[in-house]
Amino acid sequence: MQVVILCGGKGTRLREETEFRPKPMVPVGEHPILWHIMKTYAHYGHKEFILCLGYKGHVIKDYFLNYRYQSNDFTLKLGQDQQLAFHGTSGGEDDWVITMANTGEDTMTGGRVKRIEKYIKGDLIMLTYGDGVGNVDINALLEFHKQHGKLATLTGVRPPGRFGELMTDNSLITEFNEKPQTSGGRINGGFFVFSRDAFKYLSADAGSILEQEPLRKLAADRQLVCFPHDGFWQPMDTFREFEMLNQLWVRNQAPWKVW
């Protein structure tokens, strides 16, 4: 199944890293966060991607156009009959199929999704943001969407708790929780599934924001359901979050590494 990833935002709150590259290309370990997201979907068998490019989209194009050179050792024979021999494989990504679609420098999320409709082949697509990782069970999400028979499903996650959480009974602390998610309400964590008819709710207008009129209208029409995810989920919106994700990766404690 095709996976659409929103890759066009400017990431202004992470200016230290995004001045010269789009946020999906900000590294977690030795790979950009976009690679981590794609590896998650590929683990569940979904290896056909549509990347909605915008701000500095050429950086993403260059990365994948040169992916084999970056990922492998190779021997180069110079001269008039130049020859190149690669050693090894790309690490499991040889069968990925990636469509890179320019969706506008300043286009908002709804407009970006609508503008790639021409590349959609089947009755269902998956969609997520290019700056957040999680250990979401992608195939369970897909089955959830099919069972409910609605036009759209989003993954509802627990907001990451910045300072930890205290569970109390009057003044008695009953639980001290330093986990990254709180136990309160859920927020939109991305990892969507859309039926083809959901595109009728979208506009190609550059100012169309997926999270406003389209999702609100789907909800009002009782066509939007929430897949609950209580596991790990973390966006990379700030430098502190960038550092936290990199520390988890370096320590081999990355919960989203399901592959």
Side-chain angles (χ1 to χ4, degrees):
M1 182 176 298
Q2 291 172 292
V3 180
V4 178
I5 305 179
L6 292 163
C7 300
K10 296 183 178 180
T12 54
R13 285 185 292 175
L14 195 59
R15 180 59 66 186
E16 302 94 332
E17 293 292 328
T18 59
E19 184 175 357
F20 303 106
R21 56 188 165 192
K23 189 157 66 164
M25 291 303 294
V26 173
V28 176
E30 65 273 25
H31 297 286
I33 191 171
L34 174 60
W35 177 91
H36 292 260
I37 298 166
M38 296 169 77
K39 286 288 283 188
T40 299
Y41 279 99
H43 171 75
Y44 290 97
H46 308 289
K47 303 178 181 181
E48 186 171 354
F49 302 96
I50 302 174
L51 307 184
C52 299
L53 306 182
Y55 172 72
K56 297 191 181 298
H58 67 278
V59 177
I60 298 176
K61 289 182 178 180
D62 290 344
Y63 174 77
F64 286 108
L65 284 171
N66 295 296
Y67 189 79
R68 196 175 183 190
Y69 297 93
Q70 296 170 345
S71 303
N72 294 282
D73 294 342
F74 60 86
T75 299
L76 176 63
K77 178 183 178 182
L78 298 177
Q80 187 173 359
D81 298 323
Q82 180 171 294
Q83 298 179 13
L84 177 65
F86 288 97
H87 307 291
T89 65
S90 297
E93 298 83 56
D94 288 340
D95 55 351
W96 289 10
V97 178
I98 307 171
T99 297
M100 293 180 233
N102 290 318
T103 54
E105 178 84 9
D106 299 309
T107 308
M108 305 302 287
T109 51
R112 293 193 190 281
V113 178
K114 183 66 173 179
R115 292 181 185 192
I116 57 88
E117 184 177 8
K118 59 188 176 183
Y119 298 118
I120 300 302
K121 300 174 182 177
D123 294 328
L124 294 176
I125 67 160
M126 289 182 284
L127 166 73
T128 198
Y129 302 107
D131 61 355
V133 291
N135 58 351
V136 178
D137 187 329
I138 300 299
N139 286 344
L141 163 64
L142 182 58
E143 185 60 28
F144 181 92
H145 176 83
K146 292 177 179 178
Q147 289 176 354
H148 284 77
K150 301 299 183 180
L151 294 182
T153 299
L154 65 77
T155 297
V157 300
R158 305 293 189 188
R162 185 174 180 183
F163 301 108
E165 181 181 22
L166 298 177
M167 304 299 291
T168 63
D169 180 4
N170 293 324
S171 297
L172 180 68
I173 295 177
T174 59
E175 182 178 351
F176 186 85
N177 182 10
E178 286 292 340
K179 295 180 180 179
Q181 270 72 38
T182 68
S183 60
R186 297 184 186 275
I187 63 172
N188 168 25
F191 294 96
F192 299 90
V193 182
F194 284 155
S195 297
R196 187 66 179 258
D197 284 347
F199 277 87
K200 297 177 182 178
Y201 289 77
L202 301 175
S203 166
D205 184 85
S208 174
I209 301 174
L210 174 67
E211 299 78 10
Q212 294 187 5
E213 184 177 351
L215 290 187
R216 290 174 182 171
K217 186 66 166 59
L218 281 163
D221 291 348
R222 303 181 65 83
Q223 290 294 327
L224 178 64
V225 292
C226 173
F227 174 73
H229 175 64
D230 293 319
F232 181 86
W233 173 84
Q234 180 63 57
M236 187 172 61
D237 289 328
T238 66
F239 190 74
R240 186 187 71 85
E241 292 168 341
F242 160 76
E243 288 187 315
M244 183 264 284
L245 289 173
N246 273 278
Q247 288 170 6
L248 287 173
W249 183 260
V250 169
R251 295 171 184 168
N252 200 28
Q253 298 175 344
W256 69 89
K257 188 180 182 298
V258 295
W259 58 91

